[in-house]
Amino acid sequence: MHKKQFKIIFTILAGAMLFSISSCNKEDTKPDPLPKTKGILTLQFSNTFDGTLLTKNAATFYTNAAGNEFNVSTFRYYISNVELTKIDGSKVYYPVYKLIDAFEESSQKLTLLEVPNGDYKAISYFIGIDSTRNHSGPQEGDLSATTGMLWTWASGYLFLKLEGFYKDGASQTSYRYHIGTDEFLNKVTSPISYSIQGTQKNAFMVCNLAEFFKNPTTFDIKSDDDIQSFPNEKKEAGELAANMADMITVLKIE
Amino acid sequence: MKNTLIKAAFLVAATTLFLYSCKQVDQEPTPAGATPYPFGVPSFFSLPIIPADNPMTVEGVSLGKRLFYDDVLSGNNTQNCGSCHNPTFAFTDNGLQFSTGIDKKMGDRNSMPLINLAWEKDFFWDGRAKTLEEQALGPVENPIEMHEQWPNAVSELMANSEYPALFEKAFGTRVITKELVAKAIAQFERTMISSNSTFDIDYLIPSRTLDVIKNPQNAIERGMKIFYEHGDCWHCHGTVGDYLFTDRDFHNNGLDSIIIDKGLENVTKNPMDRGKFKTPTLRNVEFSAPYMHDGRFKTLEEVIEHYNSGVKKSTTLDPNMKELAKGLNLSAGDKQDLLQFLVSLSDKTFINNPKFKEQ
């Protein structure tokens, strides 16, 4: 594209922006009154280590099942493709893509609008990104490259990024676990009964980082402190991905 | 035909962009009489951060530029922001390791490039300012920089024959305050966008996908491959799709094993933040020597050698320096290629832009 065209586009962009800004100001922020046949379900994630909320870069370390003392500087993961199952077995699907950041409160809510009234028996979701979206390059919103969750080439997104430091004898050194690739996508179903009747409900989702290091495989950070899901790391990445499957539980819906 | 397609793609991108801006940049109306500044951003950048209480206006930007280059803000009227942030040097201090303030006192940090600041969320090497407005208040009173008292600076501006009228045009009031001075300067700084480097022109503007690196044809692409693959640079300087060339976060990139300047720890008081500094953008890095928070490396070759073989271990060495700490084993040719890639981020239209230069 030539400079001149670029300029023209810029002018259009600028115009559009001004327009959208002014329309923004006039926008009525009050939500439409709820249609009575539908409700809202908000998934709220808290990120813990065995019941204690995680602290970024904490100077006191957590101890995992293998006895490693470690802390966390980065902990983020994707929740996508949420599905709600009614007791009659019918399903309501939401094509959502949400990046949960343990240290950014504003990221920890995923709101499902227009949930049909009814009695439900389960919530299902992916920890990660389905293969279509995983291989479509940088996208918008939580799938944008600025989240730092995109691997550079065809490998797609990191489904989970965990980084920090651990005690290695007397010294302290870093670890990093970047879990991704289609084969390590976790599809999770949590059975829980709840009823939506034209109201707003909250699902309290608890992610326990302790589970990342155990069940089924007790993982010793010292055995491998750097896993990026490269082809030669499939065994270890697979163990951690399997541990992730029961990392999140639905505490209650009310 | 191809152009029409590109245009269409741009417009689609633009439309989505503005839906977002509509959500995020909750701009207040501009002060009465001021003209909204047409703030266009390249499609391959994310959305900039514009504080609700400081919308960009033509008058505000032009006032900010004037203040940026006006000695009136320094104690003995001999220095301005531009003294240590010269556009020709990507807004750094004329190739100097440390800057000398008005009292000939020398600082201990290298001047920072001022590029694409509208996307940053922390300022200074150690992140001690959270907005550009807050940042701009700092240098004026800093004893080793402009060493002026704000009340003095403000009364000098009030007594000036032109400034009160300019503030009125920009902010609807003749009563000058330090906050308004900072707002005007911040508006000017947000216009300093660099997005027209060789790399932009060859790859981003024509929306070419970067998988050319599977079969690199030239030095720039071979360098790109090192940058985005085993060099691990992208973990901190921006992955594919994030073309600000910084993750806008803080890291210890292994300069020292015994850390003297504690960086982010000075601000957070957390020993886990020892030696972490803000990742600088790599755009125009060719012009901003010397390098790092203390300007310890005179050339980009020295920087590359640091990452190749000089990484020092310490208790807070970043998780994404793990591979680099083992040594990259780059050949002389690889290092040249990486250098060529870094140099492809140079944007001459940015450093020579008359809109940014003192007139």
Side-chain angles (χ1 to χ4, degrees):
Chain A
M1 173 138 25
H2 300 291
K3 236 170 109 189
K4 207 165 173 189
Q5 281 171 303
F6 205 51
K7 263 192 199 151
I8 298 173
I9 304 286
F10 262 29
T11 323
I12 299 173
L13 294 196
M17 191 161 194
L18 291 178
F19 180 75
S20 73
I21 287 162
S22 55
S23 63
C24 244
N25 286 334
K26 280 177 219 136
E27 214 172 79
D28 193 349
T29 47
K30 260 187 265 163
D32 288 337
L34 278 177
K36 285 195 187 66
T37 55
K38 286 174 178 164
I40 295 174
L41 184 64
T42 303
L43 278 55
Q44 294 208 24
F45 291 82
S46 41
N47 298 283
T48 65
F49 187 88
D50 282 340
T52 319
L53 276 185
L54 294 177
T55 317
K56 189 180 167 86
N57 289 327
T60 39
F61 285 30
Y62 309 105
T63 306
N64 68 12
N68 309 126
E69 289 174 66
F70 73 104
N71 78 354
V72 183
S73 54
T74 304
F75 183 39
R76 337 169 87 188
Y77 51 90
Y78 279 107
I79 297 292
S80 74
N81 296 280
V82 178
E83 208 165 50
L84 309 179
T85 313
K86 287 192 174 166
I87 33 182
D88 65 8
S90 64
K91 290 177 177 179
V92 194
Y93 167 71
Y94 297 86
V96 286
Y97 296 86
K98 182 75 189 160
L99 179 61
I100 309 286
D101 184 326
F103 306 120
E104 209 147 314
E105 223 186 300
S106 61
S107 76
Q108 296 162 3
K109 266 188 195 174
L110 170 54
T111 299
L112 308 175
L113 296 170
E114 309 218 342
V115 182
N117 285 353
D119 293 324
Y120 290 81
K121 62 174 184 187
I123 296 187
S124 312
Y125 51 90
F126 295 0
I127 307 178
I129 310 288
D130 52 274
S131 69
T132 314
R133 289 294 196 107
N134 199 24
H135 301 291
S136 307
Q139 295 153 61
E140 262 117 35
D142 281 8
L143 294 177
S144 102
T146 56
T147 58
M149 294 296 281
L150 192 62
W151 266 307
T152 46
W153 310 112
S155 351
Y157 288 85
L158 280 72
F159 298 162
L160 176 143
K161 187 186 218 177
L162 176 67
E163 294 173 356
F165 294 84
Y166 70 100
K167 298 224 165 98
D168 186 11
S171 71
Q172 168 184 312
T173 183
S174 68
Y175 68 85
R176 70 175 162 179
Y177 298 124
H178 295 176
I179 308 300
T181 72
D182 296 343
E183 68 182 283
F184 297 135
L185 179 65
N186 270 300
K187 303 178 182 182
V188 183
T189 296
S190 304
I192 182 161
S193 54
Y194 53 103
S195 171
I196 301 284
Q197 301 298 343
T199 50
Q200 137 104 54
K201 290 219 166 159
N202 294 315
F204 295 90
M205 318 286 288
V206 178
C207 175
N208 182 1
L209 185 57
E211 292 295 337
F212 182 82
F213 295 104
K214 64 181 183 194
N215 296 333
T217 307
T218 300
F219 194 91
D220 186 345
I221 299 182
K222 284 178 200 152
S223 72
D224 195 337
D225 60 10
D226 186 10
I227 293 173
Q228 295 214 64
S229 309
F230 288 145
N232 62 345
E233 301 172 316
K234 290 287 178 209
K235 181 179 164 281
E236 296 81 2
E239 286 173 358
L240 290 172
N243 285 354
M244 277 159 60
D246 62 353
M247 176 176 83
I248 301 170
T249 45
V250 190
L251 193 67
K252 56 181 176 183
I253 297 181
E254 57 180 36
Chain B
M1 174 59 194
K2 210 172 151 206
N3 274 336
T4 330
L5 270 180
I6 296 173
K7 261 193 208 166
F10 255 78
L11 284 177
V12 172
T15 322
T16 23
L17 199 69
F18 292 122
L19 288 178
Y20 277 116
S21 81
C22 192
K23 272 187 208 151
Q24 295 179 356
V25 191
D26 194 9
Q27 290 235 64
E28 293 297 309
T30 51
T35 325
Y37 182 88
F39 195 53
V41 304
S43 64
F44 45 86
F45 283 2
S46 57
L47 266 188
I49 306 164
I50 302 170
D53 65 352
N54 194 17
M56 312 265 291
T57 66
V58 172
E59 293 79 2
V61 169
S62 119
L63 171 61
K65 178 178 177 185
R66 188 161 167 169
L67 290 164
F68 189 90
Y69 288 113
D70 198 331
D71 290 343
V72 71
L73 292 183
S74 66
N76 58 2
N77 294 357
T78 57
Q79 226 181 32
N80 56 62
C81 310
S83 311
C84 305
H85 298 288
N86 179 345
T88 313
F89 293 83
F91 287 100
T92 60
D93 193 357
N94 306 287
L96 299 173
Q97 182 176 17
F98 300 121
S99 306
T100 307
I102 63 154
D103 304 329
K104 306 278 174 271
K105 280 192 201 146
M106 211 186 249
D108 55 2
R109 297 253 177 94
N110 186 231
S111 175
M112 300 181 81
L114 309 184
I115 304 168
N116 300 334
L117 292 179
W119 284 265
E120 299 275 344
K121 52 187 171 47
D122 300 282
F123 299 91
F124 290 119
W125 285 109
D126 54 13
R128 65 186 181 277
K130 293 295 164 209
T131 62
L132 269 179
E133 284 76 3
E134 183 190 344
Q135 193 288 327
L137 292 173
V140 173
E141 291 199 329
N142 186 332
I144 52 174
E145 292 185 5
M146 297 155 92
H147 203 187
E148 170 66 297
Q149 301 298 315
W150 269 111
N152 292 348
V154 166
S155 37
E156 279 186 63
L157 290 171
M158 289 284 276
N160 183 284
S161 60
E162 293 169 34
Y163 272 117
L166 294 174
F167 275 85
E168 180 161 35
K169 277 193 195 152
F171 297 110
T173 171
R174 298 177 75 88
V175 184
I176 301 174
T177 61
K178 63 178 183 185
E179 285 78 16
L180 289 182
V181 175
K183 278 186 173 180
I185 293 177
Q187 285 189 36
F188 171 53
E189 288 175 314
R190 289 195 176 95
T191 67
M192 298 173 186
I193 297 179
S194 175
S195 61
N196 203 29
S197 65
T198 309
F199 176 73
D200 297 312
I201 293 166
D202 288 352
Y203 299 95
L204 303 187
I205 294 172
S207 298
R208 279 174 70 189
T209 60
L210 296 192
D211 48 19
V212 288
I213 69 153
K214 282 180 191 149
N215 298 303
Q217 300 296 308
N218 56 43
I220 292 180
E221 289 169 5
R222 286 194 298 273
M224 207 187 282
K225 190 172 163 75
I226 298 171
F227 185 91
Y228 284 120
E229 286 185 349
H230 74 289
D232 265 355
C233 316
W234 58 278
H235 279 295
C236 304
H237 290 286
T239 184
V240 168
D242 186 358
Y243 297 118
L244 295 164
F245 288 95
T246 161
D247 64 354
R248 288 139 283 159
D249 209 339
F250 299 85
H251 306 276
N252 169 351
N253 68 340
L255 296 175
D256 296 299
S257 46
I258 295 166
I259 292 163
I260 312 282
D261 185 339
K262 293 184 175 146
L264 183 63
E265 182 187 354
N266 289 334
V267 177
T268 63
K269 308 295 175 216
N270 181 353
M272 291 302 306
D273 289 332
R274 185 156 308 165
K276 290 189 188 173
F277 292 90
K278 188 169 111 163
T279 314
T281 177
L282 298 182
R283 287 183 171 273
N284 301 303
V285 73
E286 179 187 4
F287 309 119
S288 66
Y291 303 105
M292 304 299 168
H293 68 275
D294 54 5
R296 67 175 64 197
F297 298 129
K298 287 182 202 64
T299 62
L300 285 174
E301 283 87 347
E302 285 177 39
V303 174
I304 290 172
E305 202 47 59
H306 160 71
Y307 286 111
N308 183 47
S309 65
V311 173
K312 311 273 192 320
K313 291 199 175 144
S314 61
T315 52
T316 55
L317 181 65
D318 196 88
N320 287 306
M321 292 296 295
K322 283 196 94 66
E323 278 303 303
L324 288 163
K326 293 176 193 155
L328 263 182
N329 283 320
L330 299 179
S331 69
D334 295 339
K335 290 181 214 169
Q336 261 309 311
D337 293 342
L338 186 52
L339 180 70
Q340 289 306 308
F341 174 65
L342 294 180
V343 168
S344 81
L345 302 175
S346 295
D347 175 358
K348 293 232 165 64
T349 62
F350 175 75
I351 64 159
N352 294 323
N353 193 335
K355 275 176 147 174
F356 305 145
K357 289 196 162 188
E358 189 170 12
Q359 271 141 4

